[in-house]
Amino acid sequence: MTSNDNLFAALRDGFPQDLDRIAIETDNGLSYAWGDLERGSAMIANLLMSLELPAGTRVAAHTDKSVEALLLYLATLRAGFVYLPLNNAYRKEELRYFIANAEPGVVVCAGRDFGWISKLAFSLGVQQVFTLNDDRSGTLLERATQHSDRHDAAVKRSDELAAILYTSGTTGRSKGAMLSHGNLLSNARTLQSYWDWQPGDVLIHALPIFHVHGLFVASHGALLGGSTMLWCAKFEPRAVLERLPRATVFMGVPTLYVRLLHEAGLTREACAHMRLFVSGSAPLLIETFRDWQTRTGHTILERYGMSETVMLTSNPGRAQDGERIGGTVGKPLPDVQVRVVGDAGDALLAGEIGRVEVRGPNVFLGYWRMPEKTAEEFTADGWFKTGDVGRFSGDGYLSIVGRSKDLIISGGYNVYPAEVEGYLNELPGVAESAVIGVPHPDFGEAVVAMVVAKPNVALDGHDLLAGLKARIAGFKVPKRLFVVAELPRNAMGKVQKNLLRDEHAALFAEPA
Ligand code: MLC
Ligand code: AMP
């Protein structure tokens, strides 16, 4: 028999024997049995197969969160194509870049966006544009229901491409991180064991499904463990609280924990049934970690990952593997190697601060059609440079203390200052701009912009923000914008963003 490393096949093996059991309960009152996931993904996979797409075709999704959108992901894996999830907040110019760069053969979008997305997609050579709405309407499912509900997963090797996730570097130009079936499966299996997923676990799934955290870490964990998901289309603190008594696992970015802590209903009693709270994608403040312990009696497990590597380090899931230490992202996962190096690439000792590098079966295949960029981000001996700055403690726990990449993480979403500056500089009357991240009580960091006008132009901040909002996803739009006479520069002419960050550090500070 041919061995098959298709990730779908492995996830499918995690489904319980009894396919009539509930796999997913949605917040609009629907229940999906495991058999529904099996049959629904087969029908979509058969539809994709019927399109006679070339091997390796990218299937791009710009949809609302729904179980059917998850089925589209599973179907893409199952049929052996490459999944390309896109944040549904992205606007036309952003999508133009992703579609032109990834050249998907299929694009799936919400019906309300069909007009502009199909026009854009067809102009860029996309063959098929389907619609998928969060009420199960749309052409994707209309067409899929005409296909068989049985499908044998395409045979894949572990090093074959499963998904492309766009992420960015210092230049602000997004790069597609190519993840293989083996990258995703090795990481999912490692987490299954390190976080000690249990039979009967129930996951509250309240994250978007177009990034590593919600799509891979959360969904793969539940699917591989045969765990029921309580599915929230959008994060609402009260909806999460209502589900806690029936759940055992919750995963969130720090903003979700901060917002839950504002709820009076977050108590030890409310969390009595829970086993595990996981945080990641952005730094969890030690105050949040401690407040959570005090309020709920639970110790949040913080882990660290990125699009190129899925998860790298984690605090322990089981007591026998050690304590969960606040302010750290834990230890390298069992099959992952992590090192901290100095400027000369020399491995540093515990306590010393340096650049974080990683090697292991989780590390991606490279950036889509950017071999030079890929080469730049790996050392000669095969370690991937994360762009994060960290320090190991004597007992092997890593703390992330900064980033060497110019990146803002706002509510778990990455914002690249260079990209926002590029859009600002294109607005009428703008001579130049500088975008920085400053501490924010809700989002962790907030995007703030300084803009300099061209000579004899009077700029209006509101107009500039409205201009940006029309062009880029809302989460990238600065929360505050200052029109300034000039930007501070050093002797080399480089903008001194550290001075701007210091000046505006308390912009969103809460009154004491
Ligand atoms: C929404 N808005 C944000 C924002 N999210 N602004 C800044 N930062 C954010 N993260 C803005 C919108 O543009 C809108 O602006 C307004 O807030 C309301 O939009 P909303 O969609 O109703 O917001 P809300 O539901 O409150 O969303 C906040 C959130 C969401 C925290 C729930 O951002 C979220 O789900 N974040 C999780 C991101 C995530 O999954 N990251 C994982 C990356 S994986 P306006 O002006 O139009 O009103 C990764 C690797 C790893 O990093 O290690 O996991
Ligand atoms: P992305 O490329 O969107 O996957 O973002 C990955 C980046 O998120 C990492 O390189 C880190 O900078 C950051 N990150 C993820 N998890 C954590 C964490 N627990 N603490 C600090 N930063 C984190």
Side-chain angles (χ1 to χ4, degrees), residues 87 89 165 206-214 217 234-236 252-253 255-256 259 280-282 303-307 310-311 409-415 442-443 445-447 469 473-477 479:
N87 189 327
L165 265 69
L207 286 164
I209 54 168
F210 37 69
H211 284 308
V212 160
H213 202 160
V217 184
K234 220 172 158 309
F235 170 72
E236 299 285 354
V253 300
T255 300
L256 273 51
R259 291 188 184 181
S281 311
R303 91 312 178 271
Y304 157 57
M306 58 192 302
S307 302
V310 212
M311 298 300 103
I409 306 184
S410 169
Y413 286 143
N414 291 1
V415 181
D442 183 36
F443 291 122
E445 284 182 284
V447 180
K469 238 180 182 175
F475 68 87
K476 298 180 191 172
V477 175
K479 298 288 178 224

Side-chain angles (χ1 to χ4, degrees), residues 24-28 30 32 61-73 83 85-89 108-113 132-137 141 203-211 213-219 222 229-236 239-240 243 250-252 256 413:
I24 306 185
E25 258 183 50
T26 65
D27 49 3
N28 54 358
L30 297 176
Y32 293 73
H62 182 273
T63 59
D64 293 329
K65 181 177 176 182
S66 68
V67 174
E68 288 70 24
L70 181 68
L71 294 183
L72 172 63
Y73 164 57
Y83 193 63
L86 295 166
N87 189 327
N88 62 353
V108 182
C109 65
R112 63 172 182 277
D113 295 327
L132 174 62
N133 301 315
D134 58 4
D135 60 359
R136 300 198 277 187
S137 65
L141 299 183
L203 170 76
I204 301 178
H205 194 306
L207 286 164
I209 54 168
F210 37 69
H211 284 308
H213 202 160
L215 183 64
F216 300 148
V217 184
S219 306
M229 288 190 252
L230 305 179
W231 189 261
C232 303
K234 220 172 158 309
F235 170 72
E236 299 285 354
V240 170
R243 284 163 178 76
F250 175 77
M251 294 186 193
L256 273 51
Y413 286 143

Side-chain angles (χ1 to χ4, degrees), residues 428-431 452-460 483-485:
V430 173
V452 179
K454 284 186 176 153
N456 306 318
V457 175
L459 286 178
D460 179 281
V483 177
V484 295

Side-chain angles (χ1 to χ4, degrees), residues 167-168 211-212 279-284 302-308 329 386-388 400 403 405 407 409 412 414 416:
T167 175
S168 201
H211 284 308
V212 160
S279 175
S281 311
L284 181 74
E302 183 171 6
R303 91 312 178 271
Y304 157 57
M306 58 192 302
S307 302
E308 290 92 335
V329 292
T386 62
D388 293 307
I400 303 294
R403 296 174 205 130
K405 50 193 172 191
L407 161 70
I409 306 184
N414 291 1
Y416 297 91

